[in-house]
Amino acid sequence: MRLGIRGKVACVILICMVPVLVLGVLLSLQQDQGRRNLVLRTQQDAAHTLASDFSTFVENTVHAELAAGSAVESQPYPVVGIVQLLASIRAYDTSFLWLGLIMPDGRVEASAPPGDAYTNVATHWAFAAVRAGAPWAAGVISAPNRRPELEVATGIPEGPRLAAVVDGVVDLTRVRPMLPTGLASDMDGIIVDNGGRVVFDLRRPGRPVNALASLPAVQAALRGQPSMIEGYRDAAAGGPQIGAAVPIADLRWAAVVLEPERTALAPVRRGGQEELGWVVAAVGLGVFLAWVLGAELTAPIVALANGARAIGRGEVGYRVRMRRTDELGELGTAFNEMSERLARSHAEINALQSVSDAALSTVRLDELLARLVQHIASALRADGGTVWFVDDATGDLIVPQDSDTGAAGARRLARGEGLAGRVADGGRALVLSGEEAFRALDPRLLAQGVRAAACVPLRVGGRVIGVLELIARGERDFRAQDVRLIEAFADRVALAVDNARAYGRQREIAGVIQEALVPTPSVRLPGMAIAGRYVPSREVGGDFYAVLPLGHGRVGLAIADVTGKGIPAATLSARARYLLEAFVLDGRPSEAVVARMNAVLTRDAASGLFVSLFYGMVDPEAGTLRYTRAGHPAPFLLRAGVQAPEALDAPGLLLGVDPAARYPAVEVQVGPGDLLAMFTDGITEARRPDGELFGDQRLVDTLIELREAQPERIADEIMAAVGRWSGDGPTDDQALVIARVLPWGANVGERSAREHAVR
Amino acid sequence: MELQIGARTEGTVTVIDVAGEIDLYTAPRLEEALTRGAAGAPPLLVVNLSKTTYMDSTALRVLTAALKRIHERDGTLALVSTQSKIGKLFTITGLDQVFPIYSTEPEAIEKARAHGSRQP
């Protein structure tokens, strides 16, 4: 599992909490001991109470006996009277089982109830103790099969002499109601005598007499030392018991309190558990707070991570929102600054890219400059810009048309004049701002409301060919980084300008060559009406056609396509064209013309170019068309009165591929009204934007539809249909020749046909 | 459709698959693939045009130039063409008489291999 920072912080807190937890447990244990002691103290107090209650009870008994004895001694009662007195005391204090007046010699003077139940009391320890001088003494009378009874003997003094002893036997069961039982319900109160024997047991009267005799605490109490009892077990009670044993004053007996540990220590346990609960709760709260605070701590980190990701995705300029003043807040601020700088340089790169794209988008200089200046001005938030060119002849700066998007006014600056002139002369970038500077250097710009300007040279191969000037009308300083950017733009502008100029020169050359090749569009010969169309693509290609009068009314018709574009294609086209003109002279058969063309062009193998050619010779008088095809799309011959056209598709390889290629000739019959359509693949392979080709069939359909029309119109319609088809100007040269065979002799007044046909 | 060119070897024969359009702008890539594929001695090439959707004369020039170079080294360049419009282009230009053209690739490969085994 991967722990986030929050998890780790919580873990650290948890680990830090461990000592606290241990300390808590230790403290709790110590507290437990304290509480346990408190419980024991409580039990000791209960034992003291029990002891004092028992003492009080015994003292009360002693007082009762003393009162009875004193009453007897104060006046000479007859024995019967004494018995009556004792009986009345017994009646009053029902705890007395027996009450007797005993003479110091051990004789029982009187007793209630009368009889001899306790005649031997004089042999008891209590009587002996009193006779030995104790003011009173208590003892236990125990006999087999009888519950122990308490015997209290009180001396009745008469001066220094012992007059008599009042001896009472007390029913210990009568003690219970007389004891104020301040004991908890689970606590047992026990009185043991000086021999450790159980005299009285509050809750368990059946406890064996010697059950507690051997307990060290009981023995200690009998020695006068209050003691705790811990871990006492007896069979009847089950679990361990705790309690206390304390001496009973004056009696040398002990009061014992016992309580099962389970109930006695329940509050201790509860307290401990509670404390432990608090400690655990505190630790839990700590971890929870760590988690929550961790969120507070990690939220900005997560936000920063998201920000970094966003920038990774290209969302430069992404800002993280952070309202903090600590180190993380600082990091956020740094991040935002970085993002902003990235966005700025991204925008600069984009602007450079768009300028580069614009530089590549067209090779027409005027369009190009307008676009470039617009892009650059918007990238730099400038109000306009101008590209000035150095006029090679004079050294002046001039503005070509359309290159100015903001600065009106002068179109020509003398050498060294104004900001642009200085930059062109010095070859170094300059920045102007403030009215004073403009007044001194370029009042022309000041007059136009310009308040800041940056101007950098355009260089091609180290030569300054012009300058790029950017202006701002409002408050705007061009800083060093702006200038660097403008210089980067300027490099691209210079390259684009150079490229456009070079292309323009090339195109001009190719155009001149090509212009020389294309015949006049419309030719009328004695036996034929011919319409030719040629539309060059943007890049000069190598299509051409030729209409060649060959004497005796015969006409050579050729159409050709040279592979490739530009000057190589144009020159090869010219070469092919002149070869053709030379070879067709004297009406040489088509197969011979084509074979010779191939022989010559194959030798030009180095060019890697080849030529497709269709050459046919129409003899209107004989009514024949003899043709040879060399890899060129087959022309269509639509005969008068025949529904579908015939493709003139005699086999034959492209020219320039194989010197040994054979080119057969095919001769077909033609008659007045027959229509011949020759074309290059620029027509049939004109592409609609969705990629579909114009194709043979559309050409054939148009041909059939317009079969009665003049060749001029047929040619126009076909070119228009093809133009509509491809929409955005031809990507390949398009050449088309429509020829109709006329009734022989229809065109009297034939001038020099050659003049018409070939320029 | 963008031009996609892939080359693979079938024993001694290199097969170049040409899918998409070959025109003035993409032909140099075909030229490069042909040059690289013609490294064997003798070079035995099969160019599979069954997925070619469009070819212009530049493509023909590239193929023809490659054929010339391969012939000079006693190799062979066979074409696989299953589409009528591609086949028609070869018919019009007469190049169907120059290139061995087959309607299935295994046949073209078999013929190219046989050509190779005839060479000393």
Side-chain angles (χ1 to χ4, degrees), chain A residues 679-702:
Chain A
F679 52 91
T680 59
D681 60 6
I683 300 280
T684 48
E685 295 191 359
R687 301 181 90 174
R688 209 161 53 178
D690 68 1
E692 188 168 343
L693 304 180
F694 187 74
D696 288 354
Q697 195 54 50
R698 287 186 183 82
L699 177 65
V700 166
D701 291 347
T702 314

Side-chain angles (χ1 to χ4, degrees), chain A residues 352-363 368 371-372 375 496:
Chain A
L352 274 177
Q353 186 60 47
S354 69
V355 165
S356 297
D357 289 348
L360 291 171
S361 66
T362 174
V363 287
L368 182 71
R371 278 192 215 176
L372 288 178
H375 275 295

Side-chain angles (χ1 to χ4, degrees), chain A residues 162-370:
Chain A
L162 180 68
V165 173
V166 176
D167 195 323
V169 175
V170 176
D171 180 357
L172 277 172
T173 58
R174 306 305 296 258
V175 178
R176 185 189 311 272
M178 304 180 73
L179 287 179
T181 56
L183 298 180
S185 60
D186 291 316
M187 246 182 226
D188 195 1
I190 301 145
I191 304 294
V192 297
D193 70 3
N194 48 0
R197 289 175 293 268
V198 173
V199 174
F200 168 78
D201 193 323
L202 187 63
R203 310 257 186 241
R204 282 178 52 203
R207 193 186 291 272
V209 169
N210 288 314
L212 305 176
S214 59
L215 271 181
V218 170
Q219 288 174 358
L222 289 178
R223 284 195 302 273
Q225 186 65 45
S227 292
M228 310 291 185
I229 298 168
E230 286 187 74
Y232 169 72
R233 284 172 182 277
D234 68 36
Q241 300 186 35
I242 59 171
V246 301
I248 298 173
D250 306 330
L251 208 57
R252 299 242 170 149
W253 288 15
V256 176
V257 163
L258 282 175
E259 192 179 6
E261 244 182 54
R262 188 172 44 80
T263 51
L265 296 182
V268 178
R269 263 199 308 279
R270 256 201 313 280
Q273 280 165 356
E274 246 170 58
E275 266 167 17
L276 210 59
W278 281 115
V279 170
V280 169
V283 170
L285 185 68
V287 172
F288 172 74
L289 284 179
W291 185 254
V292 171
L293 290 177
E296 161 79 0
L297 194 69
T298 53
I301 295 174
V302 169
L304 282 169
N306 285 340
R309 249 178 243 125
I311 286 181
R313 280 195 304 272
E315 293 174 39
V316 291
Y318 183 96
R319 294 181 67 84
V320 294
R321 258 197 297 277
M322 225 178 276
R323 282 185 295 269
R324 299 173 71 109
T325 51
D326 58 5
E327 292 86 340
L328 281 172
E330 239 169 78
L331 186 58
T333 310
F335 179 92
N336 285 340
E337 282 169 9
M338 177 197 77
S339 181
E340 204 174 301
R341 275 198 296 275
L342 266 180
R344 213 181 304 133
S345 57
H346 193 75
E348 285 175 3
I349 289 168
N350 277 346
L352 274 177
Q353 186 60 47
S354 69
V355 165
S356 297
D357 289 348
L360 291 171
S361 66
T362 174
V363 287
R364 295 189 42 167
L365 194 57
D366 47 355
E367 278 178 27
L368 182 71
L369 289 175

Side-chain angles (χ1 to χ4, degrees), chain A residues 310-663:
Chain A
I311 286 181
R313 280 195 304 272
E315 293 174 39
V316 291
Y318 183 96
R319 294 181 67 84
V320 294
R321 258 197 297 277
M322 225 178 276
R323 282 185 295 269
R324 299 173 71 109
T325 51
D326 58 5
E327 292 86 340
L328 281 172
E330 239 169 78
L331 186 58
T333 310
F335 179 92
N336 285 340
E337 282 169 9
M338 177 197 77
S339 181
E340 204 174 301
R341 275 198 296 275
L342 266 180
R344 213 181 304 133
S345 57
H346 193 75
E348 285 175 3
I349 289 168
N350 277 346
L352 274 177
Q353 186 60 47
S354 69
V355 165
S356 297
D357 289 348
L360 291 171
S361 66
T362 174
V363 287
R364 295 189 42 167
L365 194 57
D366 47 355
E367 278 178 27
L368 182 71
L369 289 175
R371 278 192 215 176
L372 288 178
V373 169
Q374 201 179 337
H375 275 295
I376 295 168
S378 83
L380 282 153
R381 296 183 304 282
D383 295 317
T386 313
V387 174
W388 297 87
F389 288 117
V390 175
D391 182 342
D392 288 336
T394 61
D396 289 355
L397 285 180
I398 50 171
V399 177
Q401 241 172 352
D402 299 334
S403 68
D404 190 340
T405 59
R411 291 277 158 200
R412 178 175 282 272
L413 288 172
R415 185 176 189 136
E417 183 189 348
L419 178 62
R422 275 173 195 251
V423 171
D425 248 18
R428 285 166 52 100
L430 279 179
V431 172
L432 276 191
S433 69
E435 287 190 27
E436 283 309 308
F438 277 102
R439 197 163 289 131
L441 205 65
D442 203 331
R444 175 187 62 89
L445 286 176
L446 185 66
Q448 290 164 25
V450 175
R451 292 295 171 268
C455 190
V456 302
L458 301 178
R459 279 200 183 82
V460 171
R463 194 168 59 88
V464 176
I465 62 159
V467 300
L468 168 60
E469 183 184 68
L470 289 178
I471 55 150
R473 295 199 163 81
E475 288 300 313
R476 166 88 168 83
D477 270 345
F478 291 100
R479 287 172 299 176
Q481 70 190 53
D482 295 328
V483 173
R484 277 199 297 280
L485 188 59
I486 298 171
E487 282 174 334
F489 284 135
D491 287 346
R492 284 159 178 79
V493 171
L495 272 177
V497 166
D498 195 42
N499 187 27
R501 284 178 170 175
Y503 185 84
R505 277 193 296 275
Q506 194 193 34
R507 190 180 154 86
E508 197 179 344
I509 293 167
V512 167
I513 296 170
Q514 194 163 41
E515 206 176 319
L517 295 174
V518 179
T520 46
S522 180
V523 183
R524 197 160 176 89
L525 295 169
M528 301 199 78
I530 301 170
R533 296 290 181 272
Y534 174 70
V535 180
S537 66
R538 292 181 67 130
E539 293 185 75
V540 178
D543 289 9
F544 72 86
Y545 64 86
V547 178
L548 305 157
L550 300 170
H552 308 293
R554 292 173 304 174
V555 179
L557 297 171
I559 189 160
D561 184 355
V562 175
T563 58
K565 300 266 185 280
I567 292 178
T571 50
L572 179 61
S573 183
R575 186 167 158 72
R577 169 67 194 264
Y578 293 126
L579 283 173
L580 180 71
E581 279 193 34
F583 290 149
V584 299
L585 285 177
D586 308 328
R588 183 176 278 126
S590 63
E591 64 275 25
V593 169
V594 172
R596 282 175 180 227
M597 293 274 296
N598 185 51
V600 176
L601 292 175
T602 309
R603 257 180 267 148
D604 291 355
S607 71
L609 299 175
F610 41 66
V611 181
S612 72
L613 172 70
F614 175 90
Y615 174 65
M617 187 174 69
V618 181
D619 186 339
E621 193 179 10
T624 58
L625 163 60
R626 185 183 180 90
Y627 75 90
T628 296
R629 196 179 66 85
H632 196 85
F636 292 108
L637 175 62
L638 183 58
R639 296 174 193 277
V642 177
Q643 175 57 33
E646 172 185 339
L648 302 180
D649 56 358
L653 181 63
L654 292 165
L655 301 180
V657 176
D658 181 4
R662 298 188 58 249
Y663 294 96

